[in-house]
Structures are given as structure tokens and as C-alpha cells.
């Protein structure tokens, strides 16, 4: 502590003990009514500050990144529209794909799409196939009929078993979602939850790189950039994942890395139960068909891809318009027909979508993609529960 409050200084990388140190500093700042400053040289931790500020009224905190030229306070990232190219036709025999969290909801639907293209699949999960629901077992059984599938029960945060065949592509979809108030979160639990996802990514890459690994898609979360209350441990884990992927990208330039920091998936994944409510509240959600299609393209397309793709968005307010996100439900402030046309182009960059208005026009426009159609409908900015997209005719 100094005369102006509490300062917590971390290094270039997240290390054992950092979670307890930062959480302890936040608790002292909240109880003492003093500000906290986090200073680091790349270790991270800003997402935990955001979550803490949402839980502890009056908490003042900031993040500073130290460089050789001084310190700077990170600013929120700008939304940048990126137009993915049309999928390239496959030119090589389908390469082996490893999926960590392969028996989870996202892992299974992605495995089904990759199996249809003939890729041998290695599914790694802490669960066993016997733990799956009936619907999940049916999906896995259908996948087994289409391609070679190996399933290993493994905790990849601790060790990676020997690959059953050469692996050219990796999807890191393993993770934990534990919503616990920071007041109730033990230091040891935060240490475990924070570092596990990034450590698993490094272990997987180091194990698979000697065998010809060519591409990696790591599934993170938009929480790492705009953390909400109760999501502190989850947000921090995904922030550290993004930073670890960036380090691996620099260390291994021959491997393509994409960090997909996406919003909730509808119907599948750890947040499926919350996705419908989030969609009604104006948050962007990811339909599984679109999500698996784009994830497969990011993984398999040999052309350069953005290193990080963030999909999501908060509920809008009149003074804070939020752009609809490519391919998923979203919202924006639209004043005229030209704005709606731009919104449709943003939702479906390939230009192949039809536009079907649903409901009355209003200045606040929402959009959702279903099949080959973009639906838009209007609603007052306080009203996000009165309409749903539906096919007409």
C-alpha cells in the first residue's frame, strides 16, 4: 500500500501465487475504501478488476501496463469488421484434429461437422463417454459412423497422452465455468481456475507441435474483455488464455493460432441454459450451426486469419449503439434504410443472405441469421423481450 491506495505489481507472465496476491489486494481495497492499481508487464489480471468492480460497490481500481517507455492504461478495444473470405476448397487429405473438451456440447457439435468432412478425430475430456446424456451419446454415435474417432479421458491441464494418429489441427475447447462471488472464492480455487485453461493450451501445443501441428483454435470468451459480476474466475482464465495464445503465436510462427472469444452458444456449451435469456436481453449469441461452420473455417483454411475474433455485445442504450456481430443475433441503432442494409451486410459478409423484416420498424434494430436469411425487427431500447425471429410464409 502507498499513500494513494494499494498497488499490486505482477511480471511478464502469470505465475503461481498471482491470483491470491491480486484477490487479496482487491479485498483490502474494498474493505479499506482505497483505490487499487494493478501494474504488470504482460501478466494480465484486468478482467478480475472488472468483475470485482461489479461486485463491490465503490471499489476503485485501474490497470497499468509497464513497458520500456513507461506505463499506459489499456483502452477498450475498437470493434473492427472483418470479412472472412469464402471457404477455400480442401486441397489436402483431411488432417487429424484433436479437440480438448471434445465430449462437451461445443466439442461434440464441432466434431460432428469435422467428421462429415472426413477428419480423424481425437476427443480429449475429463469426462468419459459413459457420463454423456442420451442426446450427446447419439451425437457421438453418429460421429463414430463417419470417421475414425479416438476418445481419451484426460486432464490436459496436467498431462497430454500420446496421440493415436498424426494431429494437424487442435481445437482447445476445455474449460470450467464456476460462478462464485469473489467474497466466497478461496484463493486456491481462483489459482486453479485462473491458470488451468492457458496451461492446458501450452501443454497441448508442446505435445502436438513435433508431430506436425499446423493450426490451433482456442475458444475463449467475451467475458475476458468485459467481465461481469460472478464471472471473475472465468473471465480471468480466458484473459490468460488469450495472452498465452499470443505468446505461443510468437514462439511458433509456423502454426496458425486463432483465439475465438465468443459469446454464449445457444443450445450447447456450458452457458446454454443462459443463452436464451441473454438473447432476449439483447446480447449476441452464437447459433451452433454458424459457430461450428466458422470454427472449422478458422481451423482448416490455410489463408491468414485474424489472431483474435471477438463476437458479442451488450444491450444497447440510446447513447451507446452496439453493432450487430457477424453471423449471430445482435442489435444496433438504425435510423434509416441504408443503416439496415449495412446491418444485413455485416450479419452475412458473403452477401448471400436474404433480408426479411419481422415486425414494426423502430430506431433500434435487432438482427438474427437463420439459414440463408437475415431477420431484422424493431423494438424500443428498453424492450428486448417482445419479439423473436421467425420464418414467415
Amino acid at each position: 500500500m502507498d499513500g494513494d491506495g494499494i498497488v499490486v505489481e505482477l511480471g511478464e507472465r502469470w505465475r503461481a501465487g498471482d491470483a491470491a496476491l491480486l484477490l487479496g489486494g482487491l479485498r483490502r481495497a474494498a474493505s479499506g475504501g482505497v483505490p487499487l492499481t494493478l501494474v504488470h508487464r504482460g501478466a494480465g489480471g484486468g478482467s478480475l478488476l472488472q468483475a470485482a468492480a461489479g461486485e463491490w460497490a465503490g471499489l476503485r481500481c485501474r490497470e497499468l501496463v509497464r513497458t520500456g517507455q513507461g506505463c499506459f492504461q489499456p483502452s477498450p478495444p475498437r470493434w473492427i469488421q472483418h470479412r472472412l473470405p469464402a471457404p477455400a476448397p480442401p486441397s489436402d487429405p483431411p488432417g487429424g484434429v484433436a479437440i480438448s473438451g471434445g465430449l462437451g456440447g461445443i466439442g461434440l457439435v464441432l466434431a460432428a461437422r469435422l467428421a462429415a468432412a472426413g477428419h480423424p478425430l481425437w476427443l480429449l475430456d475429463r469426462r468419459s463417454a459413459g457420463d454423456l446424456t442420451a442426446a450427446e451419446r447419439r451425437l457421438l454415435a453418429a460421429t463414430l459412423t463417419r470417421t475414425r474417432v479416438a476418445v481419451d479421458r484426460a486432464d490436459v491441464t496436467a498431462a497430454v497422452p500420446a496421440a493415436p494418429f498424426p494431429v494437424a489441427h487442435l481445437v482447445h475447447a476445455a474449460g470450467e465455468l464456476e460462478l462464485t462471488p469473489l467474497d466466497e472464492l478461496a484463493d486456491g480455487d481462483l489459482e486453479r481456475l485462473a491458470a488451468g485453461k492457458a496451461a492446458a493450451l501450452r501443454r497441448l501445443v508442446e505435445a502436438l507441435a513435433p508431430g506436425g501441428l499446423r493450426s490451433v483454435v482456442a475458444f475463449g470468451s467475451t467475458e475476458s474483455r468485459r467481465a461481469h459480476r460472478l464471472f471473475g474466475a472465468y473471465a480471468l482464465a480466458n484473459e490468460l488464455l488469450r495472452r498465452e495464445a499470443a505468446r505461443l503465436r510468437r514462439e511458433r510462427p509456423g502454426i496458425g493460432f486463432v483465439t475465438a472469444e465468443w459469446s454464449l452458444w445457444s443450445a450447447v456449451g456450458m452457458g446454454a441454459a443462459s443463452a436464451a435469456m441473454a438473447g432476449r436481453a439483447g446480447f449476441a449469441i452464437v447459433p451452433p450451426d454458424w459457430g461450428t461452420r466458422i470454427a472449422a473455417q478458422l481451423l482448416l483454411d490455410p489463408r491468414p486469419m485474424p489472431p483474435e475474433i471477438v463476437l458479442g455485445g451488450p444491450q444497447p442504450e440510446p447513447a451507446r449503439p452496439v453493432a450487430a456481430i457477424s453471423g449471430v443475433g445482435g442489435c444496433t441503432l438504425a435510423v434509416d434504410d441504408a443503416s439496415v442494409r449495412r446491418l444485413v451486410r455485416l450479419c452475412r459478409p458473403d452477401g448471400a443472405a436474404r433480408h426479411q423484416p419481422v415486425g414494426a420498424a423502430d430506431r433500434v434494430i435487432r438482427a438474427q441469421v437463420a439459414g440463408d436469411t437475415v431477420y431484422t425487427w424493431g423494438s424500443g431500447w428498453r424492450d428486448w423481450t417482445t419479439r423473436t425471429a421467425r420464418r414467415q410464409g
Side-chain angles (χ1 to χ4, degrees):
M1 180 180 293
D2 64 16
D4 297 322
I6 295 172
V7 176
V8 175
E9 184 155 4
L10 306 180
E12 294 181 2
R13 305 182 65 140
W14 193 265
R15 300 187 184 278
D18 284 354
L21 179 64
L22 182 54
L23 183 57
L26 286 166
R27 285 172 172 156
R28 290 176 61 193
S31 62
V34 297
L36 177 138
T37 299
L38 166 64
V39 183
H40 64 84
R41 298 189 302 277
S47 56
L48 191 66
L49 270 59
Q50 291 184 15
E55 294 186 30
W56 293 326
L59 176 65
R60 293 167 293 158
C61 48
R62 62 174 180 166
E63 176 187 14
L64 296 177
V65 180
R66 190 187 299 279
T67 69
Q69 288 74 42
C71 283
F72 68 91
Q73 187 165 359
S75 58
R78 292 189 305 114
W79 290 104
I80 300 174
Q81 178 182 348
H82 179 81
R83 188 182 296 260
L84 289 177
S91 57
D92 299 320
V97 179
I99 305 179
S100 69
L103 297 184
I106 293 174
L108 284 170
V109 295
L110 182 57
R113 178 174 288 274
L114 294 168
H119 294 272
L121 300 173
W122 184 28
L123 307 182
L124 298 134
D125 205 291
R126 284 186 291 192
R127 295 195 298 170
S128 68
D131 297 328
L132 300 181
T133 66
E136 291 170 336
R137 287 196 295 271
R138 288 193 295 270
L139 183 56
L140 177 59
T143 301
L144 289 168
T145 66
R146 292 184 164 186
T147 190
R148 178 183 178 184
V149 180
V151 180
D152 270 320
R153 188 173 187 178
D155 180 357
V156 293
T157 64
V160 178
F165 45 73
V167 172
H169 313 285
L170 167 65
V171 177
H172 184 32
E176 294 184 68
L177 177 59
E178 187 172 312
L179 304 184
T180 304
L182 294 178
D183 271 336
E184 303 173 12
L185 189 62
D187 291 353
D189 289 338
L190 181 59
E191 291 278 0
R192 174 181 57 83
L193 293 167
K197 201 167 184 177
L201 176 64
R202 179 165 287 276
R203 284 188 183 277
L204 286 161
V205 170
E206 290 178 347
L208 298 174
L213 184 66
R214 299 200 303 266
S215 67
V216 177
V217 170
F219 277 110
S221 171
T222 55
E223 286 292 323
S224 78
R225 297 177 183 269
R226 187 187 289 271
H228 294 82
R229 54 188 305 272
L230 305 183
F231 280 83
Y234 182 73
L236 180 57
N238 285 288
E239 179 190 353
L240 301 184
L241 174 73
R242 171 176 15 105
R243 292 178 179 278
E244 193 66 22
R247 292 187 192 96
L248 287 165
R249 190 179 299 116
R250 293 191 296 268
E251 294 171 14
R252 299 182 180 272
I255 300 175
F257 287 86
V258 177
T259 304
E261 295 192 304
W262 292 3
S263 182
L264 297 169
W265 289 54
S266 61
V268 300
M270 295 182 292
S274 305
M277 184 181 300
R280 288 194 297 270
F283 284 79
I285 56 176
V286 180
D289 182 68
W290 183 91
T292 54
R293 176 168 60 87
I294 297 302
Q297 182 178 353
L298 297 175
L299 186 71
L300 304 173
D301 200 312
R303 294 168 293 187
M305 293 291 173
E308 296 166 359
I309 295 183
V310 185
L311 302 179
Q315 182 171 320
E317 298 174 0
R320 188 189 66 202
V322 181
I325 308 305
S326 174
V328 301
C331 43
T332 190
L333 294 184
V335 180
D336 51 26
D337 289 342
S339 298
V340 174
R341 288 194 295 270
R342 287 195 295 271
L343 173 63
V344 173
R345 288 198 299 271
L346 177 62
C347 285
R348 286 298 294 268
D350 57 16
R354 296 177 297 153
H355 176 214
Q356 175 65 57
V358 178
D362 203 323
R363 293 186 69 250
V364 179
I365 304 295
R366 296 184 66 193
Q368 187 174 34
V369 175
D372 61 352
T373 303
V374 176
Y375 297 90
T376 60
W377 66 100
S379 178
W381 70 272
R382 287 188 176 88
D383 176 16
W384 292 96
T385 62
T386 58
R387 298 188 185 278
T388 56
R390 62 189 184 275
R391 289 195 177 277
Q392 305 222 327

